[in-house]
């Protein structure tokens, strides 16, 4: 399949240039990660490719990592690209999705997960981008891809080929079938964003069991030359949602997510809110809790004084 050229829908005014993205009043330090980016190709006649996976990664799982390896194999045997790097881009805290751990924790978990990978990196760009008030700002996927395009092809000047000539790397989204299916839903995605993501950049989609990807692709036919579908030879349905459910039930998640991530979660007590609340409720219903109830100070008329439960609830949350 050949790459489709830009549809012309991605105009400079669609989003602010990535290099001008505010990092808030605290000026969060940011440096584009490039330590593992292959700046010189080793395979002649191929187009350099950089894969970008956007997501919550709350927490990152082995499936997230396997997606990159599956895509790398697919690219090597079925396309004229050469993979020069892979990036995880954790979503901003402004996304406010249920179960979303704070951005700095998700960035650190991802970093630990790819520490020993020779080509996978974590870009905190989305998590450090803030609005004019210094609050976390949601970064659309189209803008994220433009950010990578700018950093790799403008700032770094692209990737050097085996012939010594520098070329622009193709930036492509790496995602699961559920994402492309949502893109096929009428009115769910901006046509301009779809033009940028699928028309200008393109996507590698990992097929998942139980999804009718052909139906979704039928509504995205105009971008079919810029979408590559990768079949899972070994089905894997591990999800962050299932991992969080296990953790809240105090079940083991080892071998579902990387050991360094398990250790980080335990160290920082992440995804334990529900379990902690149940434990505290059980403690308050014990005899000790009853004793504390009896010890509440009373007013002159013998009634209990108003409690500060609202304040305590706020602090605990």
């Amino acid at each position: 399949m050949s790459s489709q050229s830009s549809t012309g829908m991605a105009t400079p005014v669609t989003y602010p240039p990535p290099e001008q993205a505010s990092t808030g009043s605290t000026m969060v330090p940011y440096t584009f990660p490039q330590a593992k980016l292959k700046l010189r190709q080793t395979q002649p006649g191929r187009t350099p490719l950089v894969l970008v996976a956007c997501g919550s990664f709350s927490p990152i799982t082995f499936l997230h990592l396997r997606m990159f390896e599956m895509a790398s194999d697919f690219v090597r045997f079925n396309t004229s690209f050469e993979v020069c790097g892979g990036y995880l881009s954790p979503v901003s805290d402004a996304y406010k999705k249920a179960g979303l751990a704070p951005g700095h924790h998700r960035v650190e978990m991802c970093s630990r997960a790819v520490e020993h990978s020779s080509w996978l990196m974590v870009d905190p760009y989305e998590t450090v981008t803030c609005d004019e008030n210094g609050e976390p700002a949601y970064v659309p996927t189209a803008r994220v891809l433009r950010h990578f395009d700018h950093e790799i092809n403008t700032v770094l000047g692209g990737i050097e080929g085996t012939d010594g000539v520098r070329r622009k790397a193709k930036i492509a989204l790496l995602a699961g079938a559920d994402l492309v299916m949502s893109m096929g839903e009428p009115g769910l995605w901006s046509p301009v964003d779809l033009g940028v993501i699928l028309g200008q950049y393109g996507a590698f989609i990992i097929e998942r069991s139980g999804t009718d990807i052909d139906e979704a692709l039928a509504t995205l036919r105009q971008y079919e030359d810029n979408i590559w579908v990768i079949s899972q030879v070994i089905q894997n349905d591990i999800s962050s949602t299932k991992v969080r459910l296990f953790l809240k039930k105090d079940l083991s998640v080892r071998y579902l997510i990387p050991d360094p991530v398990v250790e980080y979660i335990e160290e920082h007590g992440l995804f334990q809110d529900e379990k902690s609340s149940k434990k505290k409720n059980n403690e308050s219903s014990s005899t000790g809790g009853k004793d504390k109830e009896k010890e509440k100070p009373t007013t002159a008329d013998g009634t209990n004084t108003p409690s500060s439960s609202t304040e305590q609830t706020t602090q605990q949350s």
Side-chain angles (χ1 to χ4, degrees), residues 222-278:
Q222 67 191 103
Y223 307 116
E224 63 182 355
D225 288 339
N226 220 15
I227 299 175
W228 293 264
V229 179
I230 305 169
S231 299
Q232 283 199 68
V233 178
I234 300 176
Q235 293 297 321
N236 184 337
D237 66 348
I238 297 173
S239 70
S240 298
T241 301
K242 292 177 182 178
V243 170
R244 292 196 303 271
L245 181 61
F246 270 46
L247 289 168
K248 288 179 179 180
K249 291 185 175 182
D250 202 19
L251 298 173
S252 170
V253 293
R254 288 195 181 274
Y255 313 118
L256 294 177
I257 59 179
D259 280 350
V261 178
V262 175
E263 293 162 5
Y264 187 87
I265 289 172
E266 293 175 347
E267 179 184 350
H268 295 274
L270 301 179
F271 313 114
Q272 305 292 316
D273 294 347
E274 185 176 307
K275 186 174 69 177
S276 299
S277 297
K278 288 181 179 178

Side-chain angles (χ1 to χ4, degrees), residues 89-101:
S89 183
V91 74
S92 165
D93 287 343
Y95 190 46
K96 298 188 182 301
K97 179 182 179 181
L100 190 68

Side-chain angles (χ1 to χ4, degrees), residues 14-190:
T14 303
Y15 300 111
E19 65 273 20
Q20 294 181 11
S22 168
T23 51
S25 56
T26 56
M27 297 303 291
V28 178
Y30 171 79
T31 301
F32 180 70
Q34 54 175 289
K36 300 178 186 178
L37 182 64
K38 186 191 294 184
L39 294 175
R40 191 175 193 282
Q41 290 182 256
T42 55
Q43 301 173 33
R46 288 181 173 253
T47 301
L49 171 69
V50 174
L51 297 169
V52 179
C54 300
S56 301
F57 305 117
S58 188
I60 186 171
T61 72
F62 277 125
L63 177 55
H64 292 133
L65 301 176
R66 278 296 303 163
M67 286 172 63
F68 280 95
E69 295 298 328
M70 285 187 280
S72 177
D73 286 342
F74 178 88
V75 167
R76 188 158 50 98
F77 291 110
N78 299 280
T79 75
S80 59
F81 297 116
E82 177 183 353
V83 176
C84 293
Y87 288 89
L88 293 156
S89 183
V91 74
S92 165
D93 287 343
Y95 190 46
K96 298 188 182 301
K97 179 182 179 181
L100 190 68
H104 66 281
H105 283 314
R106 290 181 287 114
V107 168
E108 183 60 28
M109 285 189 285
C110 288
S111 297
R112 294 191 180 198
V114 303
E115 181 179 2
H116 299 296
S117 169
S118 62
W119 66 288
L120 297 182
M121 295 161 280
V122 183
D123 186 2
Y125 172 72
E126 290 189 68
T127 64
V128 300
T129 298
C130 302
D131 60 21
E132 60 275 7
N133 298 317
E135 296 296 323
Y138 176 68
V139 186
T141 302
R143 179 174 161 185
V144 174
L145 296 178
R146 292 185 63 226
H147 156 72
F148 280 96
D149 191 359
H150 170 77
E151 292 290 348
I152 295 172
N153 291 322
T154 301
V155 177
L156 296 178
I159 306 296
E160 183 180 342
T162 55
D163 57 0
V165 178
R166 301 191 75 85
R167 295 177 175 83
K168 292 185 67 172
K170 180 176 179 63
I171 310 299
L173 181 68
L174 174 63
D178 50 349
L179 179 68
V180 77
M181 289 187 70
S182 73
M183 289 178 171
E185 291 288 332
L188 196 59
W189 285 76
S190 159

